[in-house]
């Protein structure tokens, strides 16, 4: 993307001052993100975040912005009413010059901008266990704060986002098409999925049977989607709201585990380094249950390990499908990265299968601590 296009987008928003500098920001796999420095009319500096939404990922960006606007306004109001930090506890959109919440450039790309949350950090790896605990509290709290959000007003920004069965079917389609000629490079991984394909619909069946309730969930609860206060270390603000939709609490739990409880990076090539840390699993469970404020049902709590396994499996399936399709969805910075990402996820799934009884016991202990 050319500098002219970014400049056009910068000029599309009301920053109350002049943008003077920008740098790429963060390690998200989806949107293009920059940090912008602006000089305000009174001479002070104020930073903003400028994002170009991924058109491949979000076919209806206006639906995304409708959700994001609704959720951020709801959270701002709730934080104000409950004495929370309405300034830094949630995102604040910056209006475009035409008054809308987004800007469309001359190439038809969608952009949005938020005020930068100062004095906060987002982590790509757990540095100390307390960070993971704080992120769990924040994601749990987020879900609790949205428990009375009018769920029916939310648009489905990515249809079937956590429909694991549909993800497996999409993978089989990618295998059939073999668009990038890479199927021969991923035969053991394809086999891994086929051996577990029958279990893919398990959470959806529990939902359909009424055993797992639909809630307003984040659906992308990676560690780097929460900001921690630089000074206090406390969970401050849940970000990346593009996939907030009705979903399952166990999936929000699970996605955090697959990323944050792993002992290695998501794209680690040495699989000996990859395992699911039971210490981090326990810490996250404690924080999440506390954050959710005892709102989870007994069945939901018991199904937390299943959420972890299924989200890890699903994510591996998605990385694999994208590898076979030629890396069109997740951003990559090197060849084979999506296959490496898939392999770490499957290594984690295997590890969870082996640690299943321990995971269940940890959850049971945490459940009893919460109830009694
Ligand atoms: P993606 O969808 O690509 O993951 P995110 O919305 O998660 O994009 O943003 C990417 C990164 O930018 C985040 O992980 C975080 O480090 C940083 N970031 C995003 N919004 C803000 C904000 N308002 N204040 C500070 N940092 C932010
Ligand atoms: C993407 O946007 P980001 O980087 O937080 C993806 C998630 C995956 C994750 C894997 C909208 O998350 O679903 O779990 O990568 N987001 C979307 O790291 O597809
Ligand atoms: Mg993100």
């Amino acid at each position: 993307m050319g500098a002219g296009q970014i400049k056009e987008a910068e000029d599309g928003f009301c920053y109350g001052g002049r943008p003077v500098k920008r740098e790429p920001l963060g390690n998200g796999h989806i949107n293009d993100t920059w940090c912008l420095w602006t000089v305000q009319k009174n001479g002070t500096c104020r930073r903003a975040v400028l994002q170009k939404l991924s058109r491949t990922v979000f076919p209806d960006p206006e639906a995304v912005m409708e959700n994001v606007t609704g959720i951020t306004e709801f959270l701002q109001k709730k934080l104000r009413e409950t004495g929370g930090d309405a300034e830094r506890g949630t995102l604040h959109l910056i209006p475009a010059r035409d008054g809308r919440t987004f800007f469309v450039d001359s190439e038809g790309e969608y952009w949005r901008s938020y005020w930068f949350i100062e004095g906060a950090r987002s982590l790509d790896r757990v540095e100390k266990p307390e960070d993971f605990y704080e992120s769990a509290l924040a994601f749990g709290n987020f879900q609790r704060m949205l428990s009375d959000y009018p769920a029916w007003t939310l648009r489905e920004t990515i249809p079937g986002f956590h429909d694991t069965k549909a993800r497996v079917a999409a993978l089989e389609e990618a295998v059939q098409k073999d668009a990038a000629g890479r199927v021969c490079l991923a035969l053991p991984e394809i086999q891994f999925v086929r051996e577990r394909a029958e279990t893919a619909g398990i959470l959806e069946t529990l939902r359909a049977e009424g055993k797992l309730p639909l809630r307003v969930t984040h659906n992308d609860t990676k560690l780097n989607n929460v900001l921690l206060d630089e000074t206090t270390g406390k969970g401050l603000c849940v970000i990346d709201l593009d996939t907030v939709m009705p979903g399952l609490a166990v999936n929000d739990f699970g996605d955090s585990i697959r990323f944050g409880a792993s002992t290695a990076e998501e794209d680690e090539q040495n699989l000996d380094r990859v395992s699911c840390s039971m210490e981090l699993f326990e810490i996250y469970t404690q924080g999440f249950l506390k954050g959710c404020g005892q709102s989870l049902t007994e069945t939901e709590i018991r199904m937390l390990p299943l959420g972890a396994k299924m989200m890890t499996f699903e994510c591996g399936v998605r990385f694999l499908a994208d590898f076979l399709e030629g890396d069109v969805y997740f951003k990559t910075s090197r060849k084979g990265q999506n296959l490496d990402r898939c392999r770490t996820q499957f290594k984690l799934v295997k590890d969870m299968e082996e640690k299943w009884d321990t995971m269940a016991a940890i959850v049971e202990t945490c459940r009893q601590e919460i109830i009694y």
Side-chain angles (χ1 to χ4, degrees):
M1 183 188 344
Q5 195 181 3
I6 312 175
K7 178 79 179 58
E8 184 192 349
E10 272 179 18
D11 290 343
F13 291 93
C14 302
Y15 291 113
R18 196 168 41 93
V20 288
K21 176 180 148 184
R22 67 167 171 266
E23 269 175 14
L25 178 67
N27 290 311
H29 290 345
I30 304 297
N31 299 308
D32 291 319
T33 309
W34 290 268
C35 176
L36 274 193
W37 280 256
T38 72
V39 176
Q40 299 290 294
K41 286 186 185 119
N42 62 7
T44 57
C45 173
R46 192 167 183 195
R47 293 201 285 177
V49 172
L50 178 66
Q51 273 186 325
K52 178 163 84 68
L53 273 81
S54 164
R55 235 194 330 210
T56 326
V57 173
F58 301 110
D60 187 351
E62 296 191 22
V64 173
M65 293 314 296
E66 210 177 294
N67 285 0
V68 171
T69 307
I71 285 154
T72 50
E73 284 176 357
F74 182 90
L75 291 176
Q76 286 158 20
K77 184 164 176 277
K78 191 158 249 191
L79 287 165
R80 271 196 301 271
E81 285 168 359
T82 55
D85 184 350
E87 278 313 304
R88 293 168 78 230
T90 186
L91 291 167
H92 291 254
L93 282 163
I94 299 170
R97 289 202 186 277
D98 62 4
R100 295 195 291 184
T101 53
F102 53 86
F103 172 75
V104 188
D105 71 21
S106 48
E107 293 184 30
E109 298 287 354
Y110 280 72
W111 298 76
R112 66 162 170 238
S113 200
Y114 296 113
W115 288 116
F116 190 93
I117 297 181
E118 299 289 350
R121 306 192 302 149
S122 78
L123 302 177
D124 290 305
R125 264 195 88 164
V126 171
E127 289 173 4
K128 44 184 192 326
E130 301 85 73
D131 296 336
F132 202 36
Y133 180 79
E134 288 302 328
S135 76
L137 261 185
F139 280 124
N141 262 321
F142 180 83
Q143 197 176 109
R144 191 168 40 79
M145 282 201 290
L146 290 177
S147 59
D148 54 345
Y149 189 85
W152 64 92
T153 63
L154 283 170
R155 312 276 300 272
E156 198 176 6
T157 54
I158 303 179
F161 190 53
H162 286 320
D163 181 343
T164 312
K165 214 167 150 183
R167 296 289 189 180
V168 171
L171 171 69
E172 286 297 349
E173 217 179 298
V175 173
Q176 292 318 312
K177 282 196 187 132
D178 196 11
R182 293 175 173 177
V183 164
C184 58
L185 302 174
L187 295 175
E189 289 73 24
I190 295 167
Q191 181 59 23
F192 185 93
V193 177
R194 288 181 176 158
E195 280 163 12
R196 288 158 182 81
E198 272 184 18
T199 63
I202 195 163
L203 288 174
E204 174 50 25
T205 304
L206 288 168
R207 191 206 59 77
E209 290 170 355
K211 293 182 181 149
L212 291 177
L214 267 187
R215 302 179 183 275
V216 174
T217 48
H218 183 278
N219 295 306
D220 187 2
T221 51
K222 237 159 85 163
L223 182 64
N224 61 16
N225 286 332
V226 62
L227 301 178
L228 304 179
D229 189 298
E230 231 163 41
T231 315
T232 64
K234 301 280 176 214
L236 182 61
C237 178
V238 168
I239 61 170
D240 204 346
L241 307 174
D242 299 334
T243 52
V244 176
M245 287 180 278
L248 300 179
V250 298
N251 284 343
D252 269 8
F253 172 85
D255 199 30
S256 292
I257 296 298
R258 72 147 199 97
F259 188 85
S262 173
T263 51
E265 304 271 337
E266 197 181 49
D267 62 351
E268 173 62 57
Q269 289 174 283
N270 180 355
L271 292 180
D272 291 341
R273 294 199 182 133
V274 182
S275 66
C276 181
S277 154
M278 288 300 100
E279 185 205 354
L280 291 176
F281 179 83
E282 179 164 12
I283 282 169
Y284 195 90
T285 307
Q286 289 164 343
F288 191 71
L289 291 184
K290 181 139 191 250
C292 287
Q294 305 190 21
S295 62
L296 300 184
T297 65
E298 244 183 79
T299 311
E300 278 178 303
I301 298 176
R302 291 217 166 91
M303 293 298 151
L304 291 177
L306 192 58
K309 190 168 77 161
M310 294 315 295
M311 284 302 291
T312 312
F313 176 66
E314 181 191 285
C315 199
V317 169
R318 294 172 61 200
F319 285 142
L320 181 55
D322 196 32
F323 172 72
L324 299 182
E325 283 162 358
D327 308 318
V328 291
Y329 186 100
F330 297 103
K331 284 189 195 171
T332 50
S333 56
R334 59 176 168 81
K335 234 173 117 190
Q337 195 174 16
N338 271 322
L339 183 58
D340 291 336
R341 289 171 176 157
C342 155
R343 287 179 173 149
T344 61
Q345 301 310 293
F346 291 169
K347 173 78 196 289
L348 286 169
V349 170
K350 265 191 86 191
D351 195 43
M352 289 179 196
E353 286 169 353
E354 281 158 22
K355 294 173 176 165
W356 199 245
D357 292 345
T358 311
M359 287 165 73
I362 290 172
V363 166
E364 183 54 22
T365 309
C366 295
R367 187 181 74 85
Q368 289 186 9
E369 280 167 5
I370 282 278
I371 292 170
Y372 302 110

